[in-house]
Amino acid sequence: MADAEGLLVILSGSVSDHDGSVVQMSVNWGDNQINTYGSIDFSTLNVQHRYKEPGRYTLSLVATDNLSDTALQTITLSVDYAPISLNNVKPGLIKNSESEFLILTLNMHTYQEQFQNEKFALIVEFIHALDIDFVALQECAQHKNEQVVLGIIRADNMAMILVNRLMTKHNKKYNFIWNWEQYGWNGW
C-alpha cells in the first residue's frame, strides 16, 4: 500500500515468497531515484520517499528471493503539496470588507530549511486564501552565484518565486521590491 502525505510517500505492507524467502527489494520511485533494501523485515515493510515536486509517479517494486527469482509490482499515485486549512485562523485576521488591507510579515529563513518547495507552496496558498494585500519578507534571499534574471534579481530570489507562483497558480499579480543588505553564510 502506498499512502501520500503531501510530497512524502509511505510504502507499507509485506513481501513474502511461498517457496523460500525474500532477500532483497528495490523500489524505483519514478523520479530517477532507486532504493534497494536487503536487511529489513519484509513481513512489516515500511519505507518512505519524499518527492521534490508534485506529480503523478509510477513506482516499480522488484522483490528477489533466495533462488534469485524476481517479482514485479507497479503502483501509480499522485502526490501534491498538503492542503492548507484556515480553521485555526482568528476571525479578526480575515478581511470583513474590501476597504480593509491585510498585511503579512514573514521571516523566510534564507534557504536554511529543508523542503523549500513545500514551504513556498504553503505561503502562496496562505496569501491567496486570506487575500493578503501587502507582504513584508525578512531574510528573503538569493544566492550570489545564481544567474541574474532582472537587474539585481537572481533566479532563486525568494520574493520572485512567490510572486511568480501566485501569478501562475492563482492569476494574482503582486509587485515586489527587493534589495540586499549583506551576504550571510558566504553566499546568501
Side-chain angles (χ1 to χ4, degrees), residues 23-29 33-40 42 47 62 64:
V23 295
Q24 180 176 295
M25 184 186 76
S26 67
V27 180
N28 181 331
W29 296 97
Q33 183 167 341
I34 299 172
N35 293 104
T36 301
Y37 306 95
S39 57
I40 63 172
F42 292 106
V47 295
V62 178
T64 305

Side-chain angles (χ1 to χ4, degrees), residues 96-101:
N96 291 318
S97 73
E98 285 298 315
S99 63
E100 294 180 325
F101 289 110

Side-chain angles (χ1 to χ4, degrees), residues 2 51 55-61 73-79:
Y51 290 91
R56 188 164 174 81
Y57 297 95
T58 299
L59 288 66
S60 298
L61 293 71
Q73 181 175 357
T74 59
I75 301 169
T76 301
L77 69 146
S78 296
V79 295

Side-chain angles (χ1 to χ4, degrees), residues 104-109 119 123 126-127 135-140 162:
L104 171 69
T105 62
L106 182 63
N107 188 315
M108 298 293 287
H109 296 141
K119 181 174 81 169
I123 294 167
F126 189 79
I127 290 170
V135 181
L137 304 173
Q138 298 83 42
E139 295 188 47
C140 178
L162 293 176

Side-chain angles (χ1 to χ4, degrees), residues 14 28 39 62 71 82 93 119 124 141 166 173 185:
S14 63
N28 181 331
S39 57
V62 178
L93 297 177
K119 181 174 81 169
V124 164
L166 281 158
K173 181 169 174 42
W185 304 283

Side-chain angles (χ1 to χ4, degrees), residues 138-155:
Q138 298 83 42
E139 295 188 47
C140 178
Q142 62 183 16
H143 196 276
K144 71 179 182 179
N145 294 332
E146 282 289 325
Q147 176 186 358
V148 173
V149 293
L150 179 65
I152 61 170
I153 305 301
R154 295 183 181 271

Side-chain angles (χ1 to χ4, degrees), residues 1-160:
M1 178 170 59
D3 290 319
E5 296 176 11
L7 299 184
L8 177 68
V9 170
I10 302 165
L11 186 62
S12 60
S14 63
V15 182
S16 61
D17 181 31
H18 70 281
D19 63 354
S21 61
V22 176
V23 295
Q24 180 176 295
M25 184 186 76
S26 67
V27 180
N28 181 331
W29 296 97
D31 64 350
N32 297 323
Q33 183 167 341
I34 299 172
N35 293 104
T36 301
Y37 306 95
S39 57
I40 63 172
D41 182 359
F42 292 106
S43 66
T44 58
L45 181 66
N46 191 330
V47 295
Q48 299 180 2
H49 177 70
R50 185 175 297 274
Y51 290 91
K52 291 182 180 174
E53 295 290 334
R56 188 164 174 81
Y57 297 95
T58 299
L59 288 66
S60 298
L61 293 71
V62 178
T64 305
D65 72 5
N66 58 318
L67 300 174
S68 297
D69 291 328
T70 60
L72 168 70
Q73 181 175 357
T74 59
I75 301 169
T76 301
L77 69 146
S78 296
V79 295
D80 202 350
Y81 299 115
I84 68 163
S85 169
L86 299 179
N87 291 342
N88 293 324
V89 174
K90 293 180 182 178
L93 297 177
I94 298 173
K95 290 182 189 180
N96 291 318
S97 73
E98 285 298 315
S99 63
E100 294 180 325
F101 289 110
L102 199 54
I103 301 170
L104 171 69
T105 62
L106 182 63
N107 188 315
M108 298 293 287
H109 296 141
T110 311
Y111 284 110
Q112 296 174 55
E113 300 165 358
Q114 295 181 338
F115 316 122
Q116 287 296 333
N117 280 329
E118 289 175 272
K119 181 174 81 169
F120 288 145
L122 178 65
I123 294 167
V124 164
E125 293 309 307
F126 189 79
I127 290 170
H128 169 70
L130 287 179
D131 192 24
I132 295 174
D133 298 290
F134 300 97
V135 181
L137 304 173
Q138 298 83 42
E139 295 188 47
C140 178
Q142 62 183 16
H143 196 276
K144 71 179 182 179
N145 294 332
E146 282 289 325
Q147 176 186 358
V148 173
V149 293
L150 179 65
I152 61 170
I153 305 301
R154 295 183 181 271
D156 68 339
N157 183 285
M158 293 173 130
M160 183 179 70

